[in-house]
Amino acid sequence: QIHESGHAGFGIAAGKEMVRLVNSREWRAADRKELKTRIDEECEKTLKEFRAQEVAYDKKTDHGRTQGARLKTTPVMTGLPR
């Protein structure tokens, strides 16, 4: 749960950064479509940066193993009705 909370934190931080980004600029565009495209491009850059941080986080924590994360699995039973 600690590990997944870390991932949630990245998502929340990325969202806040995108809101800050959008609100901190005076956006100029010829029309709504161009404005949307510009904002989408900038937000995508932000998401890319946060995704890279998440990759580094997973690498550093060995996908949560160093934080005690364990994957619970159940045996797969074949031939049984669902």
Side-chain angles (χ1 to χ4, degrees):
Q1 187 173 0
I2 291 170
H3 182 75
E4 294 308 317
S5 293
H7 282 293
F10 283 111
I12 291 166
K16 287 181 178 181
E17 178 58 21
M18 287 185 285
V19 168
R20 186 203 66 73
L21 172 73
V22 170
N23 291 328
S24 70
R25 294 187 182 176
E26 186 174 322
W27 298 88
R28 295 185 190 274
D31 56 32
R32 290 179 85 177
K33 185 177 179 181
E34 181 184 336
L35 177 62
K36 181 184 182 314
T37 299
R38 287 183 178 192
I39 292 172
D40 285 350
E41 287 170 352
E42 291 300 313
C43 287
E44 189 58 41
K45 288 178 191 175
T46 298
L47 286 174
K48 187 176 180 178
E49 291 169 8
F50 277 90
R51 286 182 190 124
Q53 291 177 30
E54 282 200 87
V55 168
Y57 173 68
D58 274 337
K59 192 172 186 175
K60 179 180 177 184
T61 64
D62 194 19
H63 295 273
R65 285 183 191 89
T66 64
Q67 297 167 307
R70 299 288 178 265
L71 181 62
K72 294 180 184 178
T73 60
T74 55
V76 176
M77 300 177 80
T78 59
L80 298 176
R82 294 181 188 216

